[in-house]
């Protein structure tokens, strides 16, 4: 169903299994070299089903269940439905930016269909959505989808809750600021806020009463996540997260153009730092929006290569990074 904040009868469970950004899709991410895709993602979700059912856990998916708003592969969608229907507790799914074509969830999005067919419960609007009885502790759960304002005051959302948890899908400045990121702030009445969207596991940040957490996703889509360990997490009645191992392969990225000999590492690092400044500046401004394929900033970088006699290794690295930046902006646009 599409949750609207009215399902507040407490549900008994032993905790909440938190699943970060699965990004289920038929299109294999550019540098992944899996022979069969997306079995790696589906396998992790199947393991999540086993963990949740064995431990009698409720389930929350942090957003971006789909990698694209409209998934056209019917066989894949059927596979996903079979997996999700095996959860004893129907998953509650936040709406991520990859789940929607417009600013909010609509009937044209694949995630909406899963909600309407009661495969998952989808949270389409920011609200308190559920309560869980975890042992002697009553936990209230609220959610804010991507693009909607995170509340600054959650007091009064739940009556008699021992712990108030809120789930979001936002650009949050956990590890230093960057353009557009929201610094963690105190949410009155909220004990723990768990964020999706940012794919790497982040260190906890405490603001007032609120402890902000970002567990990271279960699907490594880009090479910058090469060291990220995909895990699910169990939220207990005290607001603590316990990591749960998921099956994954370490060597899943094609690193062509991204790996250099150790002897050249220091020199290449300095050259990359210099050559990459232009690209970073472009990502933090509107340069990439001036041309859909990044051709304007690409011309500027190539000119810098020529002026600085940049090595071929560095050129390959920066060109690869530019390609990933263009693809990322296209998917967000």
């Amino acid at each position: 169903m599409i949750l609207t904040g009215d399902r507040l009868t407490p549900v008994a469970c032993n905790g909440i299994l938190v699943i970060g950004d699965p990004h289920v899709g038929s299109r294999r991410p550019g540098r992944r070299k899996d022979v069969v895709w997306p079995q790696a993602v589906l396998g992790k979700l199947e393991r999540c089903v086993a963990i949740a059912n064995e431990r009698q856990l409720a389930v929350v998916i942090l957003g971006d269940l789909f990698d694209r708003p409209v998934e056209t592969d019917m066989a894949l969608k059927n596979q996903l439905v079979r997996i999700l229907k095996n959860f004893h507790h129907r998953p509650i799914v936040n709406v991520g930016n990859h789940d929607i074509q417009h600013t909010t969830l609509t009937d044209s999005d694949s995630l909406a269909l899963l909600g309407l067919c009661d495969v998952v419960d989808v949270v389409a609007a920011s609200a308190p959505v559920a309560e869980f009885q975890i042992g002697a502790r009553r936990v209230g759960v609220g959610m804010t989808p991507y693009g909607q304002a995170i509340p600054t005051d959650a007091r009064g959302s739940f009556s008699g809750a021992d712990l108030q948890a809120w789930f979001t899908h936002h650009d949050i400045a956990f590890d230093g600021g960057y353009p557009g990121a929201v610094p963690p702030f105190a949410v009155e009445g909220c004990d723990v806020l768990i964020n999706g969207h940012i794919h790497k596991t982040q260190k906890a940040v405490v603001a007032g009463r609120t402890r902000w957490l970002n567990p990271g996703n279960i699907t490594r889509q880009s090479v910058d996540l090469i060291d990220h360990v995909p895990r699910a997490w169990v939220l207990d009645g005290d607001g603590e997260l316990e990591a749960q191992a998921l099956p994954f392969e370490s060597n899943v990225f094609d690193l062509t153009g991204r790996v250099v000999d150790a002897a050249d590492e220091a020199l290449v690092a300095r050259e990359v730092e210099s050559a990459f400044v232009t690209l970073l500046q472009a990502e933090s401004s509107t340069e990439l929006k001036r041309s859909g394929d990044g051709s304007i900033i690409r011309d500027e970088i190539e000119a810098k290569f020529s002026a600085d006699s940049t090595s071929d290794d560095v050129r390959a690295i920066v060109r690869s990074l530019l390609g990933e930046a263009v693809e990322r902006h296209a998917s967000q646009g």
Side-chain angles (χ1 to χ4, degrees):
M1 68 177 69
I2 307 297
L3 290 183
T4 58
D6 55 357
R7 202 191 85 173
L8 297 179
T9 301
V11 175
C13 61
N14 292 331
I16 303 171
L17 185 67
V18 179
I19 303 171
D21 298 32
H23 284 278
V24 175
S26 53
R27 181 176 57 188
R28 186 181 63 178
R31 282 187 173 269
R32 292 281 306 214
K33 57 182 183 180
D34 308 68
V35 176
V36 180
W37 183 265
Q39 300 313 121
V41 186
L42 298 180
K44 291 179 178 64
L45 287 174
E46 288 174 335
R47 179 56 188 152
C48 288
V49 171
I51 294 170
N53 292 348
E54 288 167 6
R55 296 184 55 174
Q56 299 181 47
L57 303 172
V59 182
V60 165
I61 297 176
L62 293 177
D64 289 349
L65 174 57
F66 285 102
D67 189 47
R68 291 179 289 176
V70 179
E71 176 53 60
T72 59
D73 188 327
M74 290 302 298
L76 172 58
K77 286 190 285 189
N78 286 335
Q79 284 181 280
L80 178 61
V81 166
R82 289 192 191 98
I83 293 170
L84 294 173
K85 288 178 74 69
N86 283 329
F87 281 109
H88 292 169
H89 289 274
R90 186 188 299 164
I92 301 176
V93 181
N94 203 0
V95 175
N97 55 306
H98 282 255
D99 294 315
I100 52 178
Q101 298 178 79
H102 307 293
T103 56
T104 58
L105 191 72
T106 68
D107 285 349
S108 61
D109 299 319
S110 295
L111 180 59
L113 179 62
L114 296 191
L116 292 169
C117 294
D118 291 343
V119 176
V120 295
D121 290 338
V122 179
V123 178
S126 183
V129 294
E131 288 192 42
F132 297 98
Q133 189 71 41
I134 303 176
R137 304 271 289 175
R138 180 173 291 191
V139 177
V141 167
M143 279 191 183
T144 300
Y146 177 80
Q148 299 181 28
I150 301 172
T152 58
D153 193 341
R155 290 175 296 184
S157 298
F158 307 96
S159 176
D162 300 295
L163 181 89
Q164 295 198 31
W166 210 271
F167 294 87
T168 60
H169 192 95
H170 278 254
D171 283 308
I172 305 298
F174 280 94
D175 187 17
Y178 57 91
V182 176
F185 56 89
V187 179
E188 297 295 332
C190 178
D191 300 289
V192 59
L193 189 147
I194 302 175
N195 187 58
H197 190 55
I198 299 173
H199 290 172
K200 287 185 180 181
T201 306
Q202 304 290 322
K203 292 181 180 179
V205 175
V206 177
R209 169 180 169 174
T210 311
R211 187 158 55 98
W212 292 65
L213 304 171
N214 192 98
N217 73 343
I218 66 168
T219 305
R220 294 164 297 160
Q221 290 187 292
S222 55
V223 73
D224 62 309
L225 297 174
I226 192 169
D227 295 323
H228 173 67
V229 178
R231 291 171 288 188
W233 302 78
V234 176
L235 179 70
D236 65 20
D238 295 319
E240 299 295 328
L241 285 178
E242 172 195 351
Q244 300 295 305
L246 298 177
F248 75 98
E249 297 290 336
S250 298
N251 183 22
V252 294
F253 291 107
D254 178 359
L255 299 177
T256 303
R258 298 296 296 274
V259 179
V260 296
D261 293 337
D264 299 328
E265 184 174 345
L267 173 61
V268 169
R270 288 195 298 272
E271 291 187 9
V272 167
E273 182 178 7
S274 173
F276 195 47
V277 165
T278 306
L279 179 55
L280 288 176
Q281 291 172 339
E283 283 212 79
S284 63
S285 67
T286 59
E287 289 297 309
L288 285 178
K289 296 180 181 179
R290 291 167 57 194
S291 63
D293 60 358
S295 59
I296 294 176
I297 187 62
R298 182 178 290 108
D299 290 345
E300 293 179 10
I301 289 176
E302 293 296 337
K304 182 173 177 60
F305 287 160
S306 298
D308 296 350
S309 299
T310 304
S311 70
D312 290 340
D313 283 335
V314 172
R315 293 184 189 215
I317 292 171
V318 176
R319 285 167 182 155
S320 174
L321 291 170
L322 174 60
E324 292 173 9
V326 170
E327 183 175 350
R328 182 166 60 252
H329 275 260
S331 67
Q332 294 174 350

